[in-house]
């Protein structure tokens, strides 16, 4: 199948490109390299060094014998996006190309506006470009489990629910409650996708994914093929951040009491799930929601697991409670539904989290010296209020 990845230079984008190419798909992608620059903007770097897009593509050819086509450009530029989609003529387009850090979106008004403008206009451009070039293209849009917030009800894997309000029945969109401007940008994207589906019958999968951890998939057989791994307080997702803290001998930064429970998955499970959703599109003209995760953990459980695995590798680390910079419940109900991916074959995690922690900590250990100067970017500084 011909698949285009928007955001191909990112953590998930590059890993998915390798997986799809290895599986025999014809892969192309667009990226404006914004994440590389924005991570530098907060004084940080990727924990594992990454090659330039050109070097990556050369390495993929040499190591795996695959051709991946890369276009540098900004998907908020409509003419560029439409022209590139027309040229590539893909059957599916995976959309990752958004500002993806909650703390970054909370820095100040400039960063909030950048997040909302970049994310919403990229998605609307994609909708219009697909409608214009070929409305049969399957849009695979990456949202987040964070769109749902932490409600007291079981989180449905659906776009709509039936409700009774003051005795009158109707069908409404599933209630959402984002925890940052970033999360709200994803909620607004979902509404825009639903509206476009209703108007023009575009075919879509809107993925609600939990935080991803891990540094490897089997295709990463050469250091030139590494995908980025962020760890600072702005860009690092929790388990990736804990691993770098452990290697640097810093306390693990648990926010508040650490009871915040989220739905996690490994990088391998993320790219595998995406492959399943691409290979098995919804019926033409349908909008499908897919919750994407394999396990639920609290951030305290993750800290305890990191401590245990680090100890097995000869590193003693402490867990430290930091004042929570975010506005979020530290103790709450959490029960998300998941049935689309299990029906396609994802019935259990393909990777054991403790094994992945070992792999990740070892990968980061190789870079310990390089990461020493970045100790100052890890403790939480970006506050919600
Ligand atoms: N990593 C996670 O744990 C996680 C969890 C849930 C959802 N997501 C979502 O998955 C997607 C990918 O996440 P990631 O971790 O790979 O993030 P990432 O920042 O590493 O990748 C996103 C890529 O998109 C590019 N990009 C951003 N705006 C662009 C634009 N206007 N034009 C062209 N390229 C643009 C960036 O340069 C970057 O390379 C994001 O939409 C993110 O919100 C990620």
């Amino acid at each position: 199948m011909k698949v285009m990845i928007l955001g191909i230079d990112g953590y998930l984008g590059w890993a998915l490109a390798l997986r799809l190419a290895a599986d025999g798909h014809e892969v192309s992608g667009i990226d404006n390299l914004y994440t590389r620059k924005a991570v530098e903007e907060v004084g940080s770097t990727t924990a594992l060094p990454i090659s330039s897009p050109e070097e990556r593509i050369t390495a993929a050819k040499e190591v795996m014998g695959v051709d991946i086509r890369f276009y540098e450009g900004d998907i908020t530029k409509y003419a560029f996006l439409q022209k590139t989609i027309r040229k590539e003529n893909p059957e599916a387009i995976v959309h990752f190309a958004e500002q993806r850090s909650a703390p970054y979106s909370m820095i100040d008004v400039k960063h909030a506006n950048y997040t909302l403008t970049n994310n919403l206009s990229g998605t609307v451009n994609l909708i219009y470009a697909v409608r214009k070039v070929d409305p049969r293209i399957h849009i695979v849009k990456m949202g987040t489990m964070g769109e749902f917030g932490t409600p007291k009800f079981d989180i449905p894997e659906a776009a709509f629910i039936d409700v009774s309000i003051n005795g009158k029945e109707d069908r409404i969109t599933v209630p959402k409650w984002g925890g940052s401007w970033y999360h709200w940008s994803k909620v607004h994207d979902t509404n825009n996708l639903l509206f476009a589906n209703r108007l023009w019958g575009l075919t879509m999968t809107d993925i609600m994914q939990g935080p991803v951890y891990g540094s490897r998939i089997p295709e990463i057989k050469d250091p030139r093929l590494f995908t980025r791994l962020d760890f600072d307080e702005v860009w690092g997702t929790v388990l990736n951040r804990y691993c770098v803290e452990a290697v640097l001998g810093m306390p693990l930064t648990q926010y508040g009491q650490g009871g915040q429970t989220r739905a996690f998955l490994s990088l391998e499970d993320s790219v595998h799930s995406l492959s399943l959703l691409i290979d098995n599109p919804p019926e033409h003209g349908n909008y499908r929601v897919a919750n994407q995760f394999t396990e639920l953990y609290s951030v305290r459980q993750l800290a305890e697991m990191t401590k245990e695995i680090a100890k097995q590798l000869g590193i003693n680390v402490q867990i430290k409670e930091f004042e929570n910079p975010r506005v979020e419940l530290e103790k709450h109900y959490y029960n998300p539904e998941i049935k689309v991916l299990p029906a396609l074959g994802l019935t259990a995690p393909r990777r054991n989290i403790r094994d992945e922690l070992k792999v990740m900590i070892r990968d980061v250990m190789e870079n310990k010296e390089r990461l020493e100067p970045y100790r100052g970017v890890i403790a939480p500084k970006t506050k919600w209020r």
Side-chain angles (χ1 to χ4, degrees):
M1 193 190 291
K2 287 182 90 174
V3 185
M4 178 179 260
I5 302 173
L6 311 181
I8 193 171
D9 190 56
Y11 176 48
L12 304 181
W14 180 243
L16 181 66
L18 294 177
R19 171 60 46 87
L20 294 177
D23 286 351
H25 293 294
E26 202 179 314
V27 181
S28 64
I30 295 179
D31 207 295
N32 65 353
L33 310 186
Y34 185 76
T35 299
R36 292 186 187 235
K37 294 168 208 144
V39 171
E40 276 175 24
E41 178 195 328
V42 302
S44 191
T45 188
T46 157
L48 307 179
I50 51 171
S51 310
S52 68
E54 294 73 23
E55 286 163 343
R56 281 177 156 181
I57 283 163
T58 307
K61 178 79 179 165
E62 283 173 17
V63 178
M64 299 165 61
V66 296
D67 290 300
I68 297 172
R69 288 184 294 282
F70 173 71
Y71 300 86
E72 184 170 344
D74 186 337
I75 67 157
T76 66
K77 308 284 178 246
Y78 179 72
F80 160 75
L81 180 65
Q82 203 217 87
K83 196 174 95 199
T84 315
I85 294 176
R86 195 179 289 286
K87 184 168 169 208
E88 283 293 332
N89 193 24
E91 291 152 89
I93 301 180
V94 182
H95 178 20
F96 290 142
E98 299 206 328
Q99 191 300 93
R100 60 100 175 145
S101 157
Y104 190 82
S105 75
M106 301 302 290
I107 292 175
D108 57 17
V109 63
K110 187 172 142 233
H111 291 80
N113 271 318
Y114 170 74
T115 304
L116 290 162
T117 311
N118 184 64
N119 295 4
L120 268 70
S121 62
T123 297
V124 169
N125 280 348
L126 174 62
I127 288 167
Y128 270 86
V130 164
R131 179 178 174 231
K132 184 92 183 162
V133 175
D134 183 353
R136 292 167 306 175
I137 297 171
H138 176 201
I139 297 176
V140 182
K141 163 69 174 47
M142 185 54 88
T144 160
M145 283 299 293
E147 292 186 34
F148 297 113
T150 52
K152 292 194 179 113
F153 53 83
D154 297 339
I155 295 172
E157 192 180 28
F160 297 98
I161 48 164
D162 296 321
V163 291
S164 171
I165 298 175
N166 294 335
K168 304 230 170 28
E169 292 184 0
D170 204 349
R171 174 160 276 224
I172 60 168
T173 55
V174 169
K176 303 267 178 94
W177 191 260
S180 70
W181 296 117
Y182 156 73
H183 291 101
W184 279 111
S185 78
K186 297 282 190 185
V187 176
H188 302 321
D189 276 345
T190 289
N191 289 330
N192 294 342
L193 290 164
L194 271 172
F195 184 57
N197 169 264
R198 277 286 162 97
L199 284 182
W200 301 314
L202 303 184
T203 308
M204 303 168 173
T205 300
D206 200 357
I207 305 171
M208 305 298 151
Q209 181 178 250
V212 179
Y213 60 84
S215 52
R216 292 216 180 221
I217 54 170
E219 288 79 1
I220 301 179
K221 290 197 179 84
D222 182 295
R224 292 172 297 164
L225 294 178
F226 268 127
T227 195
R228 59 176 315 107
L229 188 75
D230 294 300
F231 62 92
D232 58 82
E233 59 111 16
V234 173
W235 294 95
T237 49
V238 55
L239 199 58
N240 297 354
R241 189 179 76 233
Y242 286 165
C243 286
V244 174
E245 290 167 344
V247 169
L248 291 179
M250 296 174 70
L252 307 186
T253 47
Q254 177 187 298
Y255 294 175
Q257 297 166 18
Q260 304 89 314
T261 300
R262 299 289 183 267
F264 292 89
L265 73 168
S266 66
L267 185 59
E268 167 61 29
D269 281 319
S270 177
V271 297
H272 179 62
S273 302
L274 284 153
S275 302
L276 291 172
L277 295 167
I278 293 164
D279 290 344
N280 300 280
E283 295 247 329
H284 183 61
N286 279 12
Y287 169 97
R288 164 176 73 175
V289 178
N291 290 350
Q292 183 163 303
F293 60 90
T294 54
E295 290 157 291
L296 304 184
Y297 294 109
S298 72
V299 298
R300 184 174 50 241
Q301 283 174 313
L302 293 180
E304 280 158 5
M305 251 189 282
T306 309
K307 185 175 169 172
E308 172 199 321
I309 300 301
K311 192 157 181 222
Q312 287 175 19
L313 296 174
I315 309 170
N316 274 316
V317 286
Q318 301 306 314
I319 300 170
K320 188 171 163 196
E321 259 187 45
F322 281 73
E323 188 190 335
N324 194 343
R326 305 178 177 213
V327 175
E328 62 186 2
L329 295 175
E330 289 175 15
K331 221 174 154 189
H332 57 86
Y333 182 74
Y334 199 61
N335 186 24
E337 178 179 39
I338 178 160
K339 51 186 197 305
V340 172
L341 279 164
L344 296 177
L346 186 85
T347 46
R350 286 156 70 90
R351 291 284 181 276
N352 175 291
I353 188 165
R354 288 181 163 78
D355 294 341
E356 283 301 283
L357 267 165
K358 254 183 217 155
V359 172
M360 218 189 326
I361 292 175
R362 286 202 177 110
D363 276 339
V364 176
M365 273 160 88
E366 303 265 308
N367 289 275
K368 184 167 185 243
E369 215 171 296
R370 220 189 101 247
L371 295 172
E372 286 290 346
Y374 296 97
R375 286 170 169 271
V377 295
I378 299 180
K381 279 198 285 283
T382 310
K383 294 199 166 67
W384 266 226
R385 59 182 176 210

